[in-house]
Amino acid sequence: MKIAVPKERRDHELRVAASPDSVKKLIGLGFDVVVESGAGEGSNFSDESFRESGAAIAGSAAEALGDADIVLKIRAPRTDGDNEIANMKKGAMLMAHLSALSEPEAIKAFADAGVTGFAMELLPRITRAQSMDILSSQSNLAGYKAVLDAAGELGRAFPMMMTAAGTIAPAKVFIMGVGVAGLQAIATAKRMGAVVTATDVRPATREQVESLGGKFLEVDPEMEKDAQTEGGYAKEMPPEYFEKQKQVVAEHIKKQDVVITTALIPGRPAPTLVTEAMVKSMPEGAVIVDLAVEAGGNVEGAEPGRTVKKDGVTIIGHANVPARLAEDASTLFSKNLVNFITPLVDPETKELSIDWEDEIIAGTLVCKDGQVVHPALAPKES
C-alpha cells in the first residue's frame, strides 16, 4: 500500500500533510510513502529529511499521485486549472480538510473521479477522535498567533509595568468566541500580562474562561441555554440574540485595546460580531484580529489577507493563520492523520481493514464508489 504526500498548491498554504516523524510511523504501519519534492519547504522539512525517514521523493505531483492508494493533503485538491484530482487513480483514498460543507461541488467532482474522500473537518467530536481532530490542533495555533499578531501591531505593552517614570496600565484584550482558538488566545494574552475578557453564546464556556484567568461577558443567559449542538459547536442564534449581543458588546468594546474574534458556524457564513460603529468607538491605536475573515468575517471592514486601518483602528485579516506557524501546524496535522489511519490497519497483516459503519469513518466519509454519501451532502430524495 502506497501513501502519497503532494505539495500544497493553494494560495497562502505553507503546510504539508506529513512530517519526517509521521513518515516513520506510516512506514511502521506497513505503508510505502512518497513525498513530492519541495512539499515540505514551507514547513522547514527538506526532501533529505523525508528521505532519511524512509520516504521516496517524487519529482512531480503526477509521479507521486499516479499509483497511490492513499493521498494525504492539508487542503482539498484543486479541480480547476492545476487539476490535482486528475492525477489520482480511481479508488484512491483522500484524507484532508476538504471544506465539504462550503464546497459541495468539489466533493461531487471527487466522487465523479472515483476517489474515496474523507473530510477530516467533519470528524465527530467524541473522546476517541480527539487525537485526530485537525480543527482543534490548527485552531490552537491560530489562537496563539492571533495574540502575537495583535501585540505586534499594538503601540503599547501588554503587561502592567512599574517604572521610575510611572506605571503603565495593562492592555485590555477581549476575545469573542471561546472555542479552541479563543481559549488559547485567552491563555496567551493572560501569560503576556493583559486583562482579558471573553464572550461566547455557549454558557458552558464561562467556567473555561474563568479557569484561565479571564472574565466572562454574559449577553443573555436564557437564550444561551440552548446555544450548543450535541457535537459541541455553537448553534446559529436568532436575530434578537445578535441585537442584544451588539448592545452589550458595543458598550464593552469602547474600552478595549485588542479584540480577537473567532466565531465560526460549520457550513455557514461567519456571524458579524463587530460592526463599523463599534470599530469607530474603539480607542485610537486599538487592534482587531478577525480569525473568521476567510468565512466572511466577524468584523465589518476586515479584508481577507490584508491588514487595514479604519478610524484609527488596525484590523488584521490574515489568511490561513495556522500556515503562519507552518512547522508546528504541519507536525500536528500529520499526527492527526497518522492517528486517523492507524486504526484502519490490521496490525498482523498490515492491510487496510476499514469498518465503514464506525462512527468516525461514517462521520468523515463524504464520497465513495462514485457517489456523494455523507448525509449532510447526499442529494435529497424527492
Side-chain angles (χ1 to χ4, degrees):
M1 295 288 283
K2 178 179 170 182
I3 289 179
V5 183
K7 186 188 300 184
E8 296 295 321
R9 286 172 164 77
R10 292 180 182 261
D11 293 340
H12 310 293
E13 190 53 80
L14 300 175
R15 294 172 292 174
V16 60
S19 67
D21 184 59
S22 76
V23 165
K24 290 178 184 176
K25 288 179 175 156
L26 291 169
I27 291 172
L29 289 172
F31 293 102
D32 295 322
V33 180
V34 59
V35 178
E36 183 184 355
S37 180
E41 283 181 0
S43 301
N44 301 318
F45 301 143
S46 65
D47 287 353
E48 188 56 32
S49 68
F50 281 121
R51 195 178 283 113
E52 288 174 358
S53 296
I57 304 299
S60 67
E63 185 185 335
L65 295 170
D67 59 348
D69 302 291
I70 296 175
V71 177
L72 304 183
K73 287 190 95 281
I74 298 288
R75 307 278 292 278
R78 295 179 62 172
T79 55
D80 57 348
D82 186 359
N83 191 343
E84 299 173 77
I85 205 75
N87 291 319
M88 294 171 61
K89 73 177 185 181
K90 189 173 182 179
M93 296 184 187
L94 169 66
M95 300 170 186
H97 188 307
L98 298 182
S99 301
L101 297 180
S102 57
E103 298 180 17
E105 65 286 348
I107 305 304
K108 178 66 167 60
F110 302 155
D112 291 343
V115 169
T116 298
F118 293 92
M120 297 302 297
E121 74 275 13
L122 300 181
L123 193 81
R125 285 200 159 179
I126 57 177
T127 302
R128 65 188 174 93
Q130 286 178 351
S131 65
M132 312 169 191
D133 190 348
I134 63 166
L135 295 183
S136 291
S137 71
Q138 304 304 291
S139 294
N140 217 317
L141 292 170
Y144 163 80
K145 187 63 171 171
V147 177
L148 299 191
D149 287 338
E153 290 287 344
L154 189 67
R156 51 176 303 190
F158 266 41
M160 181 176 74
M161 293 186 182
M162 300 180 74
T163 74
T167 300
I168 296 173
K172 294 176 181 176
V173 177
F174 181 38
I175 313 295
M176 302 186 72
V178 188
V180 174
L183 288 169
Q184 184 57 249
I186 292 167
T188 303
K190 282 298 294 183
R191 283 196 295 267
M192 292 174 67
V195 173
V196 182
T197 53
T199 188
D200 195 285
V201 299
R202 298 162 296 175
T205 59
R206 172 194 281 273
E207 189 176 332
Q208 294 171 309
V209 170
E210 292 174 348
S211 72
L212 292 171
K215 183 177 179 183
F216 190 78
L217 182 70
E218 202 168 56
V219 175
D220 188 317
E222 194 59 37
M223 276 196 274
E224 289 167 351
K225 282 181 182 177
D226 191 35
Q228 183 169 307
T229 67
E230 289 182 8
Y233 295 100
K235 283 184 180 177
E236 187 168 24
M237 299 296 282
E240 56 267 28
Y241 176 85
F242 286 112
E243 283 306 312
K244 187 161 188 180
Q245 183 186 53
K246 282 177 186 176
Q247 294 169 21
V248 174
V249 169
E251 198 56 40
H252 185 69
I253 214 167
K254 292 176 183 176
K255 310 178 185 102
Q256 302 305 304
D257 301 298
V258 172
V259 175
I260 297 173
T261 67
T262 72
L264 289 166
I265 300 168
R268 294 178 179 272
T272 300
L273 304 181
V274 180
T275 65
E276 190 176 338
M278 291 178 194
V279 173
K280 199 168 187 176
S281 75
M282 292 182 72
E284 188 88 11
V287 177
I288 303 174
V289 182
D290 189 346
L291 285 180
V293 70
E294 291 177 290
N298 297 143
V299 182
E300 287 186 345
E303 298 181 26
R306 296 191 61 204
T307 296
V308 296
K309 203 150 191 171
K310 301 281 176 75
D311 298 304
V313 176
T314 300
I315 305 175
I316 301 172
H318 287 309
N320 196 354
V321 174
R324 302 183 71 243
L325 293 166
E327 186 173 339
D328 282 339
S330 297
T331 297
L332 292 178
F333 197 106
S334 63
K335 284 181 179 178
N336 293 145
L337 292 176
V338 168
N339 292 334
F340 181 78
I341 291 169
T342 299
L344 310 184
V345 180
D346 186 303
E348 294 182 6
T349 65
K350 301 291 187 181
E351 295 291 329
L352 286 177
S353 178
I354 302 175
D355 176 5
W356 298 100
E357 302 301 318
D358 181 88
E359 185 177 359
I360 290 173
I361 298 301
T364 54
L365 183 67
V366 289
C367 56
K368 182 175 181 278
D369 299 329
Q371 300 294 321
V372 175
V373 297
H374 197 281
L377 300 169
K380 303 289 187 296
E381 293 183 9
S382 55

